[in-house]
Amino acid sequence: MTRTFFILAILFCFFASGCLRESGEALKIGSKNFTEQKLLAEMLALLAEKEGLTVSRAIPYGDSRQSLFAIQKGIIDAYPEYSGSLLALNGGFTSHDLDIRDHAKVIAAVREIIAPLGLQLLEPFGLNNSFAIAVRRDVASQYDLSSISDLARLPESIRVAADEGFLSRSTDGLYAMARRYGLQIGTVQRFPIEERFDIYNALVEHRVDVAEVFTTDAYLEGYGVTLLEDDLGFFPPYEPAPLVRSDVLTASPRLADAWDALAGKIDTAAIRQLITRVEQGGEDYRDVARDHLQKLGLLPDTVAPSTPREELVLAVNPLSDLGFLPMRAAKAIRQVMPARRLVVERVAVPATAVRDGKARFGLVG
């Protein structure tokens, strides 16, 4: 009788929770080390928990190569990955009949490439976070730059600011791009991917001529840079989607449906707004991810169970575009007070707000 009850209990748990993994093993979800990845990974974790799965978070885990290695070895079970990155990491650029501008064909090619690795790429979230090349507006005007090909007009070798990941990519990174466009690369300033903010600083402070940026960066509008057209079609689409181990989907078949509920729901403009809330508004990425799922109707409207943090207010002029100086001030405050939640507010007179105790900091002239 006891044995029969035990078997029935296991079967009940198996079907009721979408086939939970054996022995209560947690679903291990990772991400790369930048805000967009953390947001998307946290959404995957929350939707998996909604299905009754126990989730172990490795947010962040590592860069593209580290994450791909980890998922193949079972160190992590799923993480958000980009179609173009998977294509580059697995040699898909060598396929001469693949039009990398065709998003649907790139997704199909990637799925075919990774299937023998025991991996599946689910439906994309809806955004395209491509690499892009940015210049200051004054430089674009001075040399009439509108495309990457136009960089050949610069009088000297090009000084570049880029993150470490872009510099290490052999097929879709800086030096492969330079070969495609016939550009002479001079000095290169290298930045950790989690400190991409400093790439914009290097550009604005005239330390470099061009910068490698993401098209979903929260800083694009605030810094007033010009993005150059990829006129030769060098960069493939970089559409993020859940990359999952096939055995995980076999063990938890409802997981794919849960994550596909996000398919096409987060476009480039939407993710940029979410990133801005984290990087400029000082909100916790976990709270922002939960709030967005609630707005999409994919989670019940409940209070996020995050650890409360004392709020700090940085007061700025109401005419501020939240560009270079406010972001630099906000970064400095977060570095010395990482446990506090920073809120940037526009007020008539920042100094008065500080004096009256309505703001802890003020950006004044």
Side-chain angles (χ1 to χ4, degrees):
M1 179 67 180
T2 303
R3 183 172 181 272
T4 302
F5 177 79
F6 179 71
I7 293 173
L8 289 174
I10 291 176
L11 290 174
F12 175 78
C13 291
F14 183 84
F15 289 109
S17 61
C19 302
L20 293 181
R21 307 188 70 190
E22 293 181 4
S23 305
E25 183 182 355
L27 176 70
K28 301 181 287 289
I29 295 179
S31 82
K32 302 176 195 179
N33 195 15
F34 53 95
T35 303
E36 177 175 299
Q37 279 275 309
K38 294 177 185 178
L39 285 164
L40 295 175
E42 179 64 18
M43 291 184 199
L44 297 182
L46 291 169
L47 291 176
E49 289 173 336
K50 181 185 175 185
E51 293 299 311
L53 291 170
T54 300
V55 175
S56 173
R57 290 165 171 79
I59 305 175
Y61 179 80
D63 62 21
S64 294
R65 294 183 185 279
Q66 291 168 338
S67 297
L68 185 59
F69 176 83
I71 198 172
Q72 291 181 75
K73 295 298 183 181
I75 299 170
I76 57 177
D77 297 317
Y79 73 99
E81 186 54 280
Y82 302 88
S83 53
S85 295
L86 284 170
L87 191 67
L89 289 170
N90 291 280
F93 278 86
T94 59
S95 176
H96 298 291
D97 59 349
L98 177 61
D99 180 2
I100 63 171
R101 296 194 187 198
D102 189 319
H103 292 213
K105 288 183 179 179
V106 168
I107 291 288
V110 166
R111 286 173 173 160
E112 182 178 350
I113 290 169
I114 65 174
L117 303 177
L119 303 175
Q120 293 186 39
L121 189 70
L122 302 184
E123 292 302 308
F125 297 107
L127 64 110
N128 180 29
N129 183 7
S130 178
F131 292 113
I133 301 303
V135 296
R136 296 188 307 276
R137 286 180 181 173
D138 62 311
V139 173
S141 176
Q142 179 181 358
Y143 296 101
D144 191 24
L145 306 178
S146 61
S147 68
I148 299 177
S149 292
D150 293 338
L151 288 174
R153 295 179 184 152
L154 294 180
E156 299 177 352
S157 297
I158 302 169
R159 300 174 301 162
V160 180
D163 68 61
E164 294 172 337
F166 187 63
L167 295 175
S168 67
R169 300 169 80 101
S170 59
T171 54
D172 59 344
L174 174 65
Y175 296 104
M177 183 197 73
R179 288 192 297 271
R180 177 69 178 274
Y181 279 96
L183 303 177
Q184 288 292 326
I185 302 299
T187 59
V188 176
Q189 293 194 24
R190 177 189 301 258
F191 297 91
I193 195 167
E194 64 270 20
E195 297 178 13
R196 290 184 49 77
F197 176 93
D198 288 326
I199 291 177
Y200 287 83
N201 289 346
L203 186 64
V204 172
E205 294 170 359
H206 295 239
R207 289 186 275 125
V208 296
D209 305 307
V210 305
E212 164 258 332
V213 301
F214 293 164
T215 54
T216 59
D217 278 344
Y219 315 122
L220 284 175
E221 296 180 3
Y223 275 73
V225 300
T226 296
L227 295 184
L228 301 181
E229 179 191 357
D230 179 17
D231 51 311
L232 297 184
F234 172 75
F235 294 114
Y238 295 90
E239 297 180 295
L243 180 66
V244 199
R245 291 176 56 84
S246 299
D247 60 342
V248 170
L249 294 179
T250 300
S252 304
R254 288 170 54 184
L255 192 57
D257 290 338
W259 287 348
D260 279 345
L262 275 175
K265 296 288 181 63
I266 309 174
D267 61 20
T268 302
I271 195 66
R272 188 179 293 161
Q273 291 176 355
L274 300 182
I275 294 170
T276 300
R277 288 175 60 182
V278 176
E279 295 185 354
Q280 297 182 25
E283 297 183 60
D284 190 300
Y285 74 87
R286 292 163 292 191
D287 296 337
V288 174
R290 179 180 292 274
D291 177 64
H292 194 64
L293 289 181
Q294 290 170 348
K295 289 179 179 177
L296 291 175
L298 299 179
L299 280 185
D301 190 9
T302 57
V303 178
S306 61
T307 303
R309 297 191 293 166
E310 181 181 345
E311 183 176 282
L312 297 174
V313 175
L314 167 64
V316 300
N317 188 281
L319 299 179
S320 171
D321 62 358
L322 297 183
F324 173 63
L325 289 176
M327 283 191 287
R328 196 166 186 183
K331 180 185 178 184
I333 294 169
R334 291 193 187 105
Q335 284 180 329
V336 297
M337 297 183 174
R340 311 291 180 86
R341 178 175 179 267
L342 179 65
V343 177
V344 181
E345 292 185 358
R346 293 182 173 91
V347 299
V349 184
T352 301
V354 175
R355 183 197 65 189
D356 296 341
K358 296 179 180 179
R360 183 74 171 272
F361 302 95
L363 189 61
V364 300

